Every structure is written in structure tokens, then in C-alpha cells.
Amino acid sequence: MNHEPKDKILSICADYGNQPDTLIEILHDVQVELGFLSTEALIQIADALNISRADIHGVVSFYDDFRREPTQGPTVKICRAEACQAVGGEDLAKHAKETAHTNIHDVYCLGNCALGPAVLIGDDLYGRVTPERLDALLKTKAAP
Ligand code: FES
């Protein structure tokens, strides 16, 4: 692991005051930043918060949201702003987070408000994305 992720991890922990009771928020932020929670990242977080490695492993393995391996496929950004929310954006985001094996991020407006729910997959913007369409798009993007 190079120094950049370590610095980022320590910075996230510091943003939360290195408080053990903010562990879940820290794990979420580190996962968003790095894409998954590596063993090295967990050790650094445990050291920064002064908690045991067993404790942190227990929390990570308890929650399905936390990934221990890098994900495959493109980064997906789903608009969670009002116009998209009004036409199914919330259901789409929930579906994506439960089923997609890729990095899913919430964003607030992709400038495609008239065609919500809007999704950015890699650099490609899509409108009127249903859960079924998202699945189909991700299959296409995952194809070699
Ligand atoms: S509100 Fe979703 S793209 Fe603007």
C-alpha cells in the first residue's frame, strides 16, 4: 500500500475525531474513497481509533455493506436529488446497492433532471434508468 491511501484513511479518522463510536461512518467513508476495505486499511483504522483488530473485523463482517475485496466493473453514480427522487431514484439506488457488484455512489444532480432517474456509469450518462435497465447496462459494461 502506498502512502496516499494511508494518509486518506488517517485524514478520514481525524475528521471524526478518531472516535471509536464513529467506526461505522469511518468505514463507510474509507470504502467510498478506496472502493473496498483492505486488511491494511482496517489495521490503520484500528490503530487510529485505538481499538482492537478483532473488534473492527467483527463490525466489518457483521454488515453486508462492507466489501473486503475490490469490486469489478465501472463506478456508478446515481442521482439522489429531488427531480430524480420523484421519478424512482430512491428505488433505483436501493436496488443498485443491494445487487450491483461495483462501486455505487450517491450524487446530487447530474444535470439530466428532465430525464430522471439519471445515472452516470463510468463517463456515460443515462436517463430514465429503471432497476432492470441498470442491470442490463451493467451487464453490457462488464462484458469483455
Ligand atoms: S436531479 Fe437528478 S439529474 Fe438533476
Side-chain angles (χ1 to χ4, degrees):
M1 175 179 243
N2 63 31
H3 289 296
E4 199 176 311
K6 182 177 182 183
D7 291 347
K8 190 68 203 171
I9 291 166
L10 294 179
S11 162
I12 290 169
C13 292
D15 286 347
Y16 287 95
N18 293 321
Q19 291 297 313
D21 61 354
T22 61
L23 174 60
I24 290 177
E25 290 86 349
I26 290 169
L27 290 169
H28 270 292
D29 286 4
V30 169
Q31 182 167 281
V32 166
E33 197 63 41
L34 305 182
F36 73 108
L37 297 169
S38 67
T39 298
E40 292 86 353
L42 295 184
I43 290 169
Q44 287 161 6
I45 295 167
D47 289 349
L49 303 187
N50 199 21
I51 60 177
S52 76
R53 294 171 189 183
D55 283 346
I56 200 166
H57 278 285
V59 170
V60 170
S61 54
F62 184 78
Y63 292 99
D64 290 340
D65 277 357
F66 294 130
R67 289 185 298 273
R68 295 299 322 280
E69 302 292 332
T71 53
Q72 307 295 317
T75 296
V76 176
K77 295 180 179 175
I78 299 179
C79 178
R80 307 294 298 274
E82 207 169 300
C84 287
Q85 197 177 350
V87 291
E90 292 300 303
D91 287 345
L92 178 65
K94 185 171 183 286
H95 170 79
K97 288 178 182 179
E98 286 172 358
T99 62
H101 300 288
T102 191
N103 288 319
I104 308 287
H105 298 283
D106 295 333
V107 292
Y108 293 87
C109 198
L110 289 165
N112 197 32
C113 318
L115 295 174
V119 173
L120 192 66
I121 302 176
D123 293 328
D124 299 324
L125 180 63
Y126 297 92
R128 298 208 170 105
V129 180
T130 61
E132 296 74 25
R133 184 163 180 233
L134 179 65
D135 291 346
L137 286 167
L138 289 176
K139 263 190 203 144
T140 306
K141 298 281 181 184

